[in-house]
Amino acid sequence: MRQLAKGGNTDIGTMVTTAELHSTDGLVTFTALVVGPDGVARSEPCAAVRALPAGGDGEPERIEVDPAALPADADRVVLVAQAAGPVPQVLVRALQEGAEPIEFRPPPLTGGERALLLAELYRRGPAWKLRAIGQGYADGTAGLAADFGLPPAALSGVQTAPAPSEAAPPPAPAGAGAVSLDKGGRASISLAKQDTGPAVTATLEWDGGSDRRRRKGADLDLYALFVPAARAVRGAHDPGTLITSRQARQEAKDPAAGEAVSYEDLGSLTEAPFIRLDGDAKEPGAETVRIARPAEQGYVLFCAYSAVSNGFGSFRSFGARVVVSDGCGSTVTVPLFEDTKTRYWVAIALADFTTPGTVALRHIEAYSGRMTERRPVLHADGTIEMNAGPVKFKGR
């Protein structure tokens, strides 16, 4: 068994190489990126790189690389581990027929990193080499994706082709996968070219956090503030930017303060706004809005309201988060990180539909002022103004 230290490398020629991922925790995703000389990863599957699922006989998750079959513009194949929480201790083992296995055990991560660049197969003249890397990413998938010129949603195995199977499912669309945004993070989902039916669902999930928290009250409400495409504009600020009331007055903002889908107005999927809430959950669970006709949408801001009768616990103490999905395998989870109390509103995530065929998602997590009941305002340029909308009040 050949052992590589961090930064070490060894020749592997042009033989088919199978990399195995061994982990102390099975909830680790093993993926591969095919990267060009410019450092940018391919966004489409590559037949020379195949993902092999873990077997029922204890066989680990594997990635098979055929260097001789890689396209001429492929400079390297990067092996990546991802996890919903901190990446646990892992080991990667490279196997070639008739050759001694090669192992690399990255040093333990200490900063809660949720993404780890394990190793890379890279081209050197007519042959290939294997290098041990072991670089963790404190900002998770977002930082890793940025390094390789990809949206975070693309880092879920879509760069590899599935192993042949008699009952293989249809290939996933580019950008498919599960992503959890870091604070301030961004991701995008490619949308099907459809004119009817929901294109995106956004679900506010919460479990109440604890029995004590639930006894105090845990009635959260999902609000979808929206700007239709016909009114949406590009302004001086990036969509999702938080602005003050003074800025709004100076810049003559056009607010969409009256435009909201909530338990008070469930909306519609068959007529404008083509956004509909599925109902009002008055106990811990979930509320979902479905969004159709993406070409008719401009910006949608997902907010949560906590009834005054719930007491002063933070939204995070309720276990609140928003999960956005296209129903085709692409899911972006937007968690909350702050324990802010005595706040009744939180703007959680902005969905930007202004680029055709894509919805861009941005983590916001902005809270209303202390003890205020005023709803956030979404302006026509996608900027967000807290404490500026109508006053809301709801008991249990």
Side-chain angles (χ1 to χ4, degrees):
M1 186 80 67
R2 287 180 287 173
Q3 301 283 344
L4 285 183
K6 185 174 179 177
N9 64 79
T10 186
D11 294 321
I12 57 173
T14 58
M15 293 176 58
V16 173
T17 302
T18 301
E20 299 177 343
L21 179 67
H22 298 262
S23 169
T24 57
D25 184 336
L27 301 178
V28 181
T29 301
F30 193 26
T31 56
L33 303 175
V34 180
V35 182
D38 58 358
V40 175
R42 297 166 62 106
S43 60
E44 70 275 7
C46 178
V49 182
R50 298 191 301 161
L52 306 173
D57 56 354
E59 201 168 29
E61 194 172 358
R62 293 151 293 150
I63 291 175
E64 183 183 274
V65 181
D66 184 356
L70 284 164
D73 62 351
D75 185 63
R76 52 193 164 126
V77 177
V78 178
L79 304 178
V80 175
Q82 302 170 76
V87 176
Q89 182 66 57
V90 295
L91 177 146
V92 61
R93 179 179 294 140
L95 306 172
Q96 294 180 315
E97 186 175 357
E100 188 179 13
I102 306 166
E103 282 192 354
F104 169 54
R105 189 184 300 273
L109 301 174
T110 59
E113 294 91 336
R114 292 187 294 167
L116 173 63
L117 202 163
L118 293 162
E120 64 180 6
L121 291 77
Y122 63 101
R123 192 190 296 270
R124 276 298 175 265
W128 288 74
K129 301 186 78 170
L130 175 67
R131 177 187 291 124
I133 300 177
Q135 176 187 341
Y137 284 79
D139 49 356
T141 300
L144 181 61
D147 274 3
F148 292 99
L150 289 172
L155 280 176
S156 296
V158 298
Q159 286 75 27
T160 60
S165 170
E166 293 180 0
V179 173
S180 181
L181 292 186
D182 294 308
K183 190 172 180 64
R186 305 181 190 222
S188 61
I189 296 175
S190 297
L191 300 177
K193 295 180 179 178
Q194 57 195 57
D195 294 324
T196 60
V200 171
T201 63
T203 300
L204 173 66
E205 300 178 350
W206 75 102
D207 59 12
S210 65
D211 289 340
R212 179 174 177 271
R213 177 68 265 164
R214 284 186 286 271
R215 285 195 297 271
K216 288 186 174 183
D219 179 15
L220 301 187
D221 294 296
L222 174 60
Y223 278 70
L225 280 57
F226 62 88
V227 175
R231 289 186 54 201
V233 298
R234 285 289 180 178
H237 305 286
D238 194 27
T241 300
L242 297 172
I243 64 168
T244 64
S245 297
R246 180 177 180 181
Q247 285 178 295
R249 290 193 299 271
Q250 290 176 337
E251 299 172 18
K253 294 290 183 183
D254 176 22
E259 308 270 324
V261 166
S262 69
Y263 72 92
E264 299 169 300
D265 181 356
L266 297 181
S268 173
L269 287 176
T270 58
E271 59 184 19
F274 305 108
I275 304 172
R276 181 171 174 80
L277 178 69
D278 63 2
D280 181 14
K282 297 184 179 180
E283 296 180 351
E287 292 186 7
T288 298
V289 291
R290 306 179 192 281
I291 304 175
R293 299 201 183 188
E296 302 287 336
Q297 311 297 340
Y299 306 107
V300 181
L301 179 65
F302 304 117
C303 302
Y305 168 73
S306 174
V308 173
S309 56
N310 288 337
F312 300 140
S314 69
F315 284 91
R316 187 182 180 193
S317 74
F318 295 126
R321 63 180 187 172
V322 165
V323 179
V324 182
S325 173
D326 67 349
C328 299
S330 294
T331 302
V332 178
T333 298
V334 188
L336 297 176
F337 297 94
E338 299 181 25
D339 286 316
T340 307
K341 299 182 180 180
T342 66
R343 311 299 168 98
Y344 299 117
W345 285 97
V346 57
I348 300 177
L350 180 77
D352 180 351
F353 290 87
T354 59
T355 300
T358 299
V359 55
L361 300 165
R362 176 173 176 176
H363 180 279
I364 303 296
E365 192 171 2
Y367 294 90
S368 57
R370 185 176 180 274
M371 305 297 289
T372 182
E373 287 284 299
R374 288 195 173 276
R375 196 175 79 195
V377 166
L378 177 64
H379 291 280
D381 61 356
T383 56
I384 301 163
E385 185 181 354
M386 303 301 292
N387 316 313
V391 172
K392 292 294 163 188
F393 184 88
K394 180 184 180 184
R396 288 184 187 171

